[in-house]
Amino acid sequence: MTRYPSTTTKLVVLLGHPLGHSLSPLIHNTMFEHLGLDYCYLPVEVTRENLTVVFNGLRRMNVVGCNVTIPHKVAILELLDELDPQAALLGAVNTICFRDGRAIGYNTDGQGFLRSLKEAGMAGVAGKNILLLGAGGAARAIAMSLAAGGAGSIYLCNRNRDKALALAEEINEKIRPCAETVAAELSAQRPVLKRCQLLVNTTSVGMHPHHDQLPIAAEVLSAHLTVADIVYNPHTTRLLAAAQAAGCPVVHGIGMLIHQGALGFTLWTGSEPPIDRMLATALSHLAKLSATG
Ligand code: ATR
């Protein structure tokens, strides 16, 4: 039976801009209904100028938590009362819980990524050498979590190398001295990849509608590498298709989306959502999107 929100429904609000393509409302509302929880997940597009007024309004409503996405993951920090250690380390928040009138910030992105690796069959990251493409917000959460998880060497490769350098320095100072940068050129990437067990794309290259783009030349891929892409639309990016063709185990981007969301779901509700059902919900929606172009 479909539930409709009432005055006692607990709200979870997604704050970001733009939100039109977010899968989170579909995934969370489907799970609330499946588990019979009187919750509702509501996307609210909010600009930077309106973030403070909207957020302070949420504190006075029956809102139990939030997800925060682009462009507010850092700006939201100053509006919170408390940060969990992971969010404090990253200096970015993607999940909020309201408890006893206090707004507590969490970051489940890095943990979500590590869980998606594990689910895809990678036992752990300890001692693994990793080439990570990108140096933006997602790269930061993932690289920091890999470093904290005991990765061997983390090689950061970004179009803008200064950003990669700044991230490497931050990781080396705050976590462990394990990060360095690599030029975004085949001649530099090739020897590094020979020493790596994992390649992670955190850039937006290959994302719909630019699904024909590759973030690294396909010729450097070989079967000793596990290849992870955080792009989830399309489900199998051109990078992952090339990796499969080269015999590499692959980790689809949808895994990180699902696991970071599942961690938030548990923080808000105290219940663990069924991962396989979340995945099926997301995949059937993505399949419909790709069928309609
Ligand atoms: P997110 O929060 O999703 O990580 P972001 O912080 O805007 O988003 O970072 C996007 C990443 O994708 C950056 O590493 C960006 O590279 P630059 O720092 O050089 O801008 C990378 N990126 C985006 N488009 C790219 C492209 N066409 N080629 C190479 N890298 C690209």
Side-chain angles (χ1 to χ4, degrees):
M1 190 188 79
T2 304
R3 281 173 185 273
Y4 295 99
S6 71
T7 53
T8 56
T9 301
K10 296 185 170 86
L11 301 176
V12 178
V13 172
L14 170 62
L15 298 169
H17 197 283
L19 296 176
H21 295 289
S22 175
L23 290 181
S24 298
L26 169 77
I27 295 170
H28 287 295
N29 284 319
T30 305
M31 290 310 109
F32 292 148
E33 190 172 344
H34 172 67
L35 295 174
L37 298 170
D38 188 15
Y39 280 68
C40 179
Y41 188 101
L42 195 68
V44 174
E45 284 190 336
V46 50
T47 57
R48 179 66 193 93
E49 312 81 273
N50 290 334
L51 185 63
T52 303
V53 69
V54 169
F55 191 71
N56 288 333
L58 297 182
R59 286 175 176 274
R60 287 162 184 78
M61 295 167 60
N62 46 335
V63 174
V64 295
C66 297
N67 269 151
V68 185
T69 188
I70 291 169
H72 304 315
K73 286 186 179 186
V74 176
I76 198 77
L77 290 183
E78 64 187 50
L79 304 176
L80 302 175
D81 303 306
E82 199 178 318
L83 288 181
D84 104 316
Q86 188 74 13
L89 183 70
L90 291 172
V93 158
N94 77 333
T95 303
I96 296 168
C97 279
F98 291 102
R99 276 198 212 104
D100 305 323
R102 293 172 64 74
I104 306 162
Y106 298 83
N107 196 309
T108 67
D109 282 336
Q111 206 54 34
F113 178 74
L114 292 183
R115 287 193 180 193
S116 76
L117 284 185
K118 198 169 172 198
E119 190 181 54
M122 184 168 253
V125 296
K128 299 257 177 4
N129 296 329
I130 300 156
L131 178 63
L132 190 142
L133 306 172
R140 204 156 167 276
I142 289 173
M144 294 254 198
S145 302
L146 290 168
S153 293
I154 302 177
Y155 302 98
L156 300 173
C157 179
N158 194 45
R159 179 174 61 178
N160 173 344
R161 193 165 179 179
D162 286 345
K163 272 170 70 179
L165 202 58
L167 179 55
E169 278 174 4
E170 197 184 341
I171 292 168
N172 293 340
E173 269 170 34
K174 284 192 179 170
I175 305 182
R176 294 171 28 238
C178 61
E180 58 187 277
T181 68
V182 176
E185 287 157 18
L186 214 50
S187 58
Q189 293 165 336
R190 202 192 295 273
V192 165
L193 270 179
K194 289 211 171 95
R195 298 197 292 276
C196 289
Q197 292 80 40
L198 176 64
L199 168 68
V200 186
N201 175 45
T202 74
T203 76
S204 49
V205 177
M207 190 188 291
H208 177 82
H210 305 293
H211 48 261
D212 56 332
Q213 294 179 354
L214 274 170
I216 191 166
E219 63 189 272
V220 298
L221 303 173
S222 73
H224 74 281
L225 279 173
T226 294
V227 179
D229 199 337
I230 68 160
V231 172
Y232 60 80
N233 185 12
H235 178 55
T236 300
T237 57
R238 189 158 168 220
L239 173 66
L240 293 186
Q244 282 170 333
C248 308
V250 300
V251 184
H252 289 88
I254 198 76
M256 176 176 170
L257 178 81
I258 298 294
H259 282 285
Q260 64 77 26
L263 289 161
F265 190 100
T266 302
L267 286 167
W268 304 317
T269 66
S271 301
E272 287 200 15
I275 297 294
D276 50 350
R277 211 160 176 134
M278 290 177 92
L279 186 62
T281 303
L283 288 181
S284 81
H285 185 73
L286 286 176
K288 273 187 224 147
L289 287 183
S290 76
T292 55

Short mmCIF file of all heavy atoms in Angstrom, two decimals, residues 77-112:
data_model
loop_
_atom_site.label_atom_id
_atom_site.label_comp_id
_atom_site.label_asym_id
_atom_site.label_seq_id
_atom_site.Cartn_x
_atom_site.Cartn_y
_atom_site.Cartn_z
N LEU A 77 29.12 23.12 6.50
CA LEU A 77 29.85 22.88 7.75
C LEU A 77 29.55 23.95 8.80
O LEU A 77 29.36 23.65 9.97
CB LEU A 77 31.36 22.86 7.50
CG LEU A 77 31.94 21.69 6.73
CD1 LEU A 77 33.44 21.81 6.64
CD2 LEU A 77 31.56 20.38 7.35
N GLU A 78 29.51 25.22 8.36
CA GLU A 78 29.37 26.30 9.34
C GLU A 78 27.97 26.34 9.96
O GLU A 78 27.76 27.04 10.94
CB GLU A 78 29.72 27.65 8.70
CG GLU A 78 28.78 28.05 7.60
CD GLU A 78 29.25 29.32 6.87
OE1 GLU A 78 30.43 29.36 6.48
OE2 GLU A 78 28.43 30.23 6.73
N LEU A 79 27.04 25.59 9.40
CA LEU A 79 25.68 25.60 9.95
C LEU A 79 25.43 24.43 10.91
O LEU A 79 24.35 24.31 11.48
CB LEU A 79 24.66 25.53 8.80
CG LEU A 79 24.79 26.62 7.73
CD1 LEU A 79 23.80 26.41 6.60
CD2 LEU A 79 24.58 27.99 8.37
N LEU A 80 26.43 23.57 11.09
CA LEU A 80 26.24 22.36 11.90
C LEU A 80 26.72 22.56 13.34
O LEU A 80 27.57 23.42 13.61
CB LEU A 80 26.98 21.19 11.25
CG LEU A 80 26.55 20.88 9.81
CD1 LEU A 80 27.44 19.79 9.21
CD2 LEU A 80 25.09 20.46 9.76
N ASP A 81 26.21 21.73 14.26
CA ASP A 81 26.61 21.82 15.66
C ASP A 81 27.75 20.88 15.99
O ASP A 81 28.46 21.07 16.98
CB ASP A 81 25.41 21.47 16.56
CG ASP A 81 24.22 22.36 16.27
OD1 ASP A 81 24.40 23.59 16.33
OD2 ASP A 81 23.15 21.83 15.94
N GLU A 82 27.91 19.82 15.18
CA GLU A 82 28.87 18.78 15.52
C GLU A 82 29.26 18.03 14.25
O GLU A 82 28.44 17.91 13.34
CB GLU A 82 28.14 17.82 16.48
CG GLU A 82 29.01 16.93 17.30
CD GLU A 82 28.13 16.07 18.24
OE1 GLU A 82 27.16 16.59 18.83
OE2 GLU A 82 28.44 14.87 18.34
N LEU A 83 30.48 17.54 14.20
CA LEU A 83 30.93 16.74 13.05
C LEU A 83 31.45 15.41 13.55
O LEU A 83 32.15 15.36 14.56
CB LEU A 83 32.10 17.43 12.34
CG LEU A 83 31.81 18.68 11.53
CD1 LEU A 83 33.11 19.17 10.89
CD2 LEU A 83 30.77 18.39 10.45
N ASP A 84 31.14 14.32 12.85
CA ASP A 84 31.75 13.06 13.23
C ASP A 84 33.18 13.08 12.70
O ASP A 84 33.53 13.90 11.84
CB ASP A 84 30.87 11.87 12.77
CG ASP A 84 31.42 11.16 11.56
OD1 ASP A 84 31.85 11.83 10.61
OD2 ASP A 84 31.39 9.92 11.57
N PRO A 85 34.06 12.22 13.23
CA PRO A 85 35.50 12.34 12.91
C PRO A 85 35.80 12.25 11.41
O PRO A 85 36.66 12.97 10.91
CB PRO A 85 36.12 11.15 13.66
CG PRO A 85 35.16 10.83 14.76
CD PRO A 85 33.80 11.18 14.26
N GLN A 86 35.07 11.40 10.68
CA GLN A 86 35.31 11.24 9.24
C GLN A 86 35.01 12.55 8.50
O GLN A 86 35.76 12.99 7.64
CB GLN A 86 34.42 10.10 8.72
CG GLN A 86 34.68 9.68 7.31
CD GLN A 86 35.97 8.89 7.18
OE1 GLN A 86 36.54 8.46 8.17
NE2 GLN A 86 36.45 8.73 5.96
N ALA A 87 33.88 13.18 8.85
CA ALA A 87 33.50 14.44 8.21
C ALA A 87 34.49 15.54 8.57
O ALA A 87 34.84 16.37 7.73
CB ALA A 87 32.08 14.82 8.62
N ALA A 88 34.96 15.54 9.83
CA ALA A 88 35.92 16.56 10.25
C ALA A 88 37.22 16.39 9.47
O ALA A 88 37.81 17.37 9.01
CB ALA A 88 36.16 16.44 11.75
N LEU A 89 37.64 15.16 9.28
CA LEU A 89 38.88 14.88 8.54
C LEU A 89 38.76 15.36 7.09
O LEU A 89 39.65 15.98 6.54
CB LEU A 89 39.15 13.38 8.58
CG LEU A 89 40.44 12.90 7.94
CD1 LEU A 89 41.64 13.35 8.78
CD2 LEU A 89 40.44 11.39 7.80
N LEU A 90 37.61 15.06 6.48
CA LEU A 90 37.41 15.41 5.07
C LEU A 90 37.06 16.87 4.88
O LEU A 90 37.22 17.42 3.80
CB LEU A 90 36.29 14.56 4.47
CG LEU A 90 36.61 13.07 4.30
CD1 LEU A 90 35.38 12.31 3.88
CD2 LEU A 90 37.71 12.90 3.27
N GLY A 91 36.53 17.53 5.93
CA GLY A 91 36.09 18.91 5.78
C GLY A 91 34.92 19.03 4.82
O GLY A 91 34.74 20.03 4.15
N ALA A 92 34.12 17.96 4.74
CA ALA A 92 32.95 17.95 3.85
C ALA A 92 31.90 17.00 4.44
O ALA A 92 32.26 16.00 5.07
CB ALA A 92 33.34 17.49 2.46
N VAL A 93 30.64 17.34 4.22
CA VAL A 93 29.53 16.57 4.79
C VAL A 93 28.56 16.18 3.69
O VAL A 93 28.23 16.99 2.83
CB VAL A 93 28.81 17.45 5.85
CG1 VAL A 93 27.40 17.00 6.11
CG2 VAL A 93 29.61 17.46 7.16
N ASN A 94 28.15 14.90 3.67
CA ASN A 94 27.11 14.50 2.71
C ASN A 94 25.85 13.99 3.41
O ASN A 94 24.85 13.73 2.74
CB ASN A 94 27.64 13.45 1.72
CG ASN A 94 27.74 12.07 2.33
OD1 ASN A 94 27.91 11.93 3.54
ND2 ASN A 94 27.64 11.06 1.51
N THR A 95 25.93 13.84 4.74
CA THR A 95 24.79 13.29 5.49
C THR A 95 24.68 14.04 6.82
O THR A 95 25.70 14.32 7.45
CB THR A 95 25.03 11.78 5.77
OG1 THR A 95 25.22 11.12 4.52
CG2 THR A 95 23.87 11.14 6.51
N ILE A 96 23.44 14.37 7.20
CA ILE A 96 23.20 15.08 8.47
C ILE A 96 22.13 14.34 9.25
O ILE A 96 21.16 13.83 8.66
CB ILE A 96 22.74 16.53 8.20
CG1 ILE A 96 23.86 17.31 7.49
CG2 ILE A 96 22.34 17.24 9.50
CD1 ILE A 96 23.40 18.67 6.94
N CYS A 97 22.30 14.27 10.57
CA CYS A 97 21.23 13.77 11.46
C CYS A 97 20.88 14.88 12.43
O CYS A 97 21.79 15.53 12.97
CB CYS A 97 21.73 12.60 12.29
SG CYS A 97 21.73 11.07 11.42
N PHE A 98 19.59 15.07 12.67
CA PHE A 98 19.16 15.99 13.73
C PHE A 98 18.86 15.14 14.96
O PHE A 98 18.02 14.24 14.90
CB PHE A 98 17.91 16.75 13.31
CG PHE A 98 18.16 17.74 12.21
CD1 PHE A 98 17.81 17.46 10.90
CD2 PHE A 98 18.77 18.97 12.48
CE1 PHE A 98 18.06 18.37 9.88
CE2 PHE A 98 19.02 19.88 11.46
CZ PHE A 98 18.66 19.58 10.15
N ARG A 99 19.59 15.40 16.04
CA ARG A 99 19.35 14.64 17.28
C ARG A 99 19.29 15.61 18.45
O ARG A 99 20.22 16.38 18.65
CB ARG A 99 20.50 13.64 17.54
CG ARG A 99 20.30 12.36 16.79
CD ARG A 99 21.14 11.21 17.34
NE ARG A 99 21.47 10.36 16.22
CZ ARG A 99 22.64 10.32 15.63
NH1 ARG A 99 23.64 11.02 16.09
NH2 ARG A 99 22.82 9.54 14.58
N ASP A 100 18.19 15.56 19.20
CA ASP A 100 18.01 16.43 20.37
C ASP A 100 18.29 17.89 20.01
O ASP A 100 18.98 18.61 20.74
CB ASP A 100 18.93 16.00 21.53
CG ASP A 100 18.72 14.54 21.88
OD1 ASP A 100 17.56 14.09 21.82
OD2 ASP A 100 19.72 13.85 22.17
N GLY A 101 17.80 18.30 18.85
CA GLY A 101 17.94 19.70 18.45
C GLY A 101 19.31 20.05 17.90
O GLY A 101 19.57 21.20 17.56
N ARG A 102 20.21 19.06 17.82
CA ARG A 102 21.55 19.33 17.29
C ARG A 102 21.70 18.74 15.89
O ARG A 102 21.22 17.64 15.63
CB ARG A 102 22.63 18.74 18.21
CG ARG A 102 22.68 19.43 19.57
CD ARG A 102 23.62 18.71 20.52
NE ARG A 102 25.01 18.72 20.07
CZ ARG A 102 25.81 19.78 20.12
NH1 ARG A 102 25.35 20.92 20.59
NH2 ARG A 102 27.06 19.70 19.71
N ALA A 103 22.39 19.48 15.03
CA ALA A 103 22.63 18.99 13.67
C ALA A 103 24.05 18.41 13.61
O ALA A 103 25.03 19.13 13.85
CB ALA A 103 22.50 20.14 12.67
N ILE A 104 24.12 17.11 13.32
CA ILE A 104 25.42 16.41 13.32
C ILE A 104 25.78 16.00 11.89
O ILE A 104 24.96 15.38 11.20
CB ILE A 104 25.35 15.16 14.23
CG1 ILE A 104 24.84 15.58 15.61
CG2 ILE A 104 26.72 14.48 14.33
CD1 ILE A 104 24.33 14.45 16.44
N GLY A 105 26.98 16.37 11.45
CA GLY A 105 27.39 16.09 10.07
C GLY A 105 28.25 14.85 9.95
O GLY A 105 29.13 14.60 10.79
N TYR A 106 28.00 14.07 8.91
CA TYR A 106 28.75 12.85 8.62
C TYR A 106 29.22 12.90 7.18
O TYR A 106 28.68 13.64 6.36
CB TYR A 106 27.86 11.60 8.77
CG TYR A 106 27.30 11.41 10.15
CD1 TYR A 106 26.14 12.08 10.56
CD2 TYR A 106 27.92 10.55 11.05
CE1 TYR A 106 25.64 11.91 11.82
CE2 TYR A 106 27.41 10.35 12.33
CZ TYR A 106 26.27 11.04 12.71
OH TYR A 106 25.76 10.86 13.96
N ASN A 107 30.20 12.06 6.86
CA ASN A 107 30.55 11.87 5.46
C ASN A 107 30.64 10.38 5.18
O ASN A 107 31.51 9.70 5.72
CB ASN A 107 31.86 12.57 5.10
CG ASN A 107 31.99 12.69 3.60
OD1 ASN A 107 31.83 11.70 2.88
ND2 ASN A 107 32.22 13.90 3.11
N THR A 108 29.72 9.88 4.37
CA THR A 108 29.66 8.43 4.10
C THR A 108 30.22 8.09 2.72
O THR A 108 30.17 6.93 2.31
CB THR A 108 28.20 7.91 4.20
OG1 THR A 108 27.42 8.48 3.14
CG2 THR A 108 27.55 8.26 5.53
N ASP A 109 30.76 9.10 1.99
CA ASP A 109 31.23 8.85 0.63
C ASP A 109 32.40 7.85 0.58
O ASP A 109 32.38 6.90 -0.20
CB ASP A 109 31.68 10.16 -0.04
CG ASP A 109 30.51 11.00 -0.51
OD1 ASP A 109 29.43 10.44 -0.75
OD2 ASP A 109 30.68 12.23 -0.64
N GLY A 110 33.42 8.11 1.41
CA GLY A 110 34.62 7.26 1.38
C GLY A 110 34.29 5.84 1.82
O GLY A 110 34.68 4.86 1.17
N GLN A 111 33.54 5.74 2.92
CA GLN A 111 33.14 4.42 3.44
C GLN A 111 32.27 3.69 2.41
O GLN A 111 32.40 2.48 2.22
CB GLN A 111 32.38 4.63 4.75
CG GLN A 111 32.43 3.46 5.70
CD GLN A 111 33.85 3.02 6.02
OE1 GLN A 111 34.76 3.83 6.08
NE2 GLN A 111 34.03 1.72 6.16
N GLY A 112 31.40 4.46 1.75
CA GLY A 112 30.54 3.87 0.71
C GLY A 112 31.37 3.30 -0.43
O GLY A 112 31.09 2.22 -0.93
#
